[in-house]
Amino acid sequence: MNSFGSNLRRQPLVALAAAPLVALAATLAAQVSPPANPPASAAPGPAPAVDQHGPTIKETYAQCFLIGMAGDVPGNYSDAEIGLIRENFGVVTPENCMKPAPVHPAEDTWRFERPDALVKWCRENNLLVHGHTLVWHAQTNPWFFQGGDKAVITGRLKDHIATLVGRYNGKVRSWDVVNEAINDRGDAETAKTENLRNSRWLQSLGPEFLTLAFRFAHEADPEAELYYNDYGIEAGPKHASSMLLLKRLIKDGAPIHGVGIQGHWSTATVPFDSIDRAIADYKALGLKVSISELDVTIRGASGGQFGPGFGGRGGPVTPPSAQDLRAQAEAYARVFSIFAKHKDAVERVTFWGLSDRRTWRFGQHPLVFDADNQRKPAYVAIVDAMRQPKADSDKPR
Ligand code: G3I
């Protein structure tokens, strides 16, 4: 199969990076309809027809970066879902089973059944594993901090990381070492600081808890690539704080290799220009970048917060309109064009979930497979974003 062929063959496609998005919108409208020209307030209608058999995103972007998914595989995934994962992804992030609370619920208790099964299954199916996550303010049981002084808590941190990373030495290629250490809200004043979240880790060990975590992870597996991972760090005061934090870690000799921009966005508010600049900023620090938890909702809040309204579960689910799906496709195509532009720095793009059924943002239709495991217009648009004709200046003379 021609990896640069289109799901929507025989029609010339618009180059996303080179052409105005208005043209893309017209192209998508022509390709994924009926219905044609839905009204702005389109009522939920039949989903546009999408060819299910064109090239995969994974093969289309193979020369740029890895394409991943998050899930606690193989777990209770259906045969159809397992097939989808094998065909479409090259790397798996365990969505939950390696987090501190599930894997290490008490000081003397480890639950390795699911992580072991995940690593084994991935190896048998030629999928890489990205570990998530060693140090986090959430999903971490209180025992880590109880009845201990700084030395004891540092010892627990070291034991946790050494045991987990050591167990999968050579089998897990990279880790989110510290997750979401920077505060959500920021302003001009906090932008001049690291603005660290007031977590139990910060309270117990001070700002050096990050440096220690990276050192312990590196000791446990010197070959593993080590990431700082966070949401909202691509823009505004939080981006400025992330730059200060990363510069400090590098200056202090922390073995950090990359930064994960989570990428929990919403169609109407994707910060395209900020994403472009943030990747360039991190690259300038000598770091790799991963888009580590990508999902672009059709509706609903963006961000990565785990809190009230989490996942949008519980309420009635409104199906997306054809117009919703087209807008989401444009947003996805545009962010992939930005990632591809920075392919020298971006090493992995991971979707957070598998489908609109297997997602923490259920009801907000955030992924590129629908709830029935079918490719959505966004899938096609991402593939077609790579089929741009070369600009004249790029052509060989
Ligand atoms: O495992 C238990 C299960 O035993 C129990 O029966 C069930 C009942 O509710 O709960 C299960 O645990 C849930 C787990 O997901 C697995 O489904 C937890 O309650 C629930 O809190 C947990 O939510 C996860 C959340 O992180 C908190 O850990 C989401 O699936 C996961 O997508 C989300 O992922 C985070 C990233 O790790 C970090 N960035 C933000 C992102 C979204 O919040």
Side-chain angles (χ1 to χ4, degrees):
M1 180 168 14
N2 171 8
S3 66
F4 291 93
S6 169
N7 289 3
L8 302 159
R9 290 194 175 80
R10 291 180 291 278
Q11 298 200 40
L13 280 178
V14 176
L16 277 181
L21 279 175
V22 65
L24 171 71
T27 306
L28 280 168
Q31 292 174 335
V32 300
S33 294
N37 304 319
S41 58
V50 177
D51 183 343
Q52 298 296 315
H53 304 292
T56 64
I57 294 173
K58 179 176 75 169
E59 65 195 0
T60 303
Y61 286 83
Q63 304 305 316
C64 297
F65 33 68
L66 290 165
I67 299 292
M69 59 82 64
D72 291 318
V73 294
N76 61 356
Y77 285 73
S78 69
D79 290 348
E81 289 174 321
I82 290 289
L84 211 60
I85 295 167
R86 282 207 199 102
E87 183 185 1
N88 285 282
F89 302 99
V91 54
V92 170
T93 302
E95 186 175 2
N96 287 298
C97 69
M98 286 189 189
K99 288 173 177 171
V103 80
H104 199 180
E107 187 157 16
D108 57 358
T109 307
W110 287 89
R111 299 257 184 261
F112 287 123
E113 298 85 356
R114 297 196 75 174
D116 281 356
L118 182 145
V119 170
K120 179 170 180 284
W121 185 84
C122 286
R123 284 171 75 81
E124 289 169 355
N125 289 278
N126 289 322
L127 286 148
L128 300 167
V129 180
H130 171 79
H132 174 86
T133 178
L134 299 172
V135 180
W136 196 18
H137 65 279
Q139 300 279 290
T140 301
N141 286 356
W143 69 261
F144 273 99
F145 311 101
Q146 281 167 348
D149 59 12
K150 195 168 174 176
V152 169
I153 296 170
T154 301
R156 290 172 181 161
L157 176 69
K158 181 171 186 174
D159 172 67
H160 175 74
I161 293 175
T163 304
L164 192 52
V165 175
R167 186 177 184 89
Y168 302 115
N169 181 317
K171 297 177 179 170
V172 168
R173 71 186 294 272
S174 51
W175 284 94
D176 291 330
V177 176
V178 180
N179 196 40
E180 302 172 0
I182 303 173
N183 269 322
D184 281 350
R185 282 169 291 280
D187 55 28
E189 285 308 304
T190 67
K192 298 173 194 160
T193 73
E194 294 178 6
N195 196 20
L196 292 180
R197 188 187 292 272
N198 189 23
S199 69
R200 297 296 302 274
W201 289 116
L202 184 69
Q203 291 164 11
S204 305
L205 303 182
E208 70 174 328
F209 82 86
L210 293 107
T211 324
L212 290 170
F214 278 94
R215 288 210 178 116
F216 296 152
H218 186 64
E219 283 166 22
D221 185 352
E223 300 300 318
E225 289 187 14
L226 305 180
Y227 274 77
Y228 175 74
N229 189 52
D230 209 335
Y231 58 86
I233 50 170
E234 63 276 4
K238 200 165 176 178
H239 178 65
S241 292
S242 77
M243 290 295 286
L244 292 174
L245 170 61
L246 294 166
K247 282 178 188 170
R248 191 247 301 175
L249 293 176
I250 292 166
K251 179 168 157 286
D252 288 354
I256 180 171
H257 306 110
V259 55
I261 298 172
Q262 291 188 6
H264 295 296
W265 294 312
S266 288
T267 292
T269 56
V270 181
F272 299 106
D273 294 342
S274 297
I275 296 165
D276 193 354
R277 278 195 302 272
I279 296 173
D281 285 349
Y282 296 139
K283 184 164 53 174
L285 296 182
L287 296 172
K288 292 283 184 195
V289 176
S290 284
I291 310 303
S292 54
E293 305 186 11
L294 180 62
D295 51 16
V296 181
T297 59
I298 274 175
R299 56 181 73 87
S302 63
Q305 302 90 330
F306 174 51
F310 172 71
R313 293 187 176 96
V317 174
T318 308
S321 68
Q323 187 187 24
D324 288 335
L325 292 167
R326 278 197 292 274
Q328 182 187 46
E330 287 170 39
Y332 260 117
R334 198 165 157 192
V335 290
F336 266 77
S337 293
I338 295 168
F339 306 155
K341 174 181 151 189
H342 293 290
K343 64 183 179 187
D344 56 332
V346 176
E347 68 101 27
R348 176 174 56 90
V349 177
T350 287
F351 293 93
W352 200 246
L354 173 63
S355 66
D356 286 348
R357 185 180 303 281
R358 295 269 192 183
T359 163
W360 74 294
R361 301 173 111 182
F362 182 79
Q364 300 175 338
H365 317 291
L367 294 172
V368 295
F369 291 105
D370 70 16
D372 296 319
N373 300 325
Q374 299 298 298
R375 294 180 182 187
K376 293 164 63 181
Y379 192 109
V380 178
I382 291 169
V383 169
D384 287 344
M386 272 299 276
R387 297 183 64 249
Q388 51 196 306
K390 288 253 186 247
D392 280 349
S393 57
D394 292 345
K395 286 182 182 156
R397 291 171 196 280

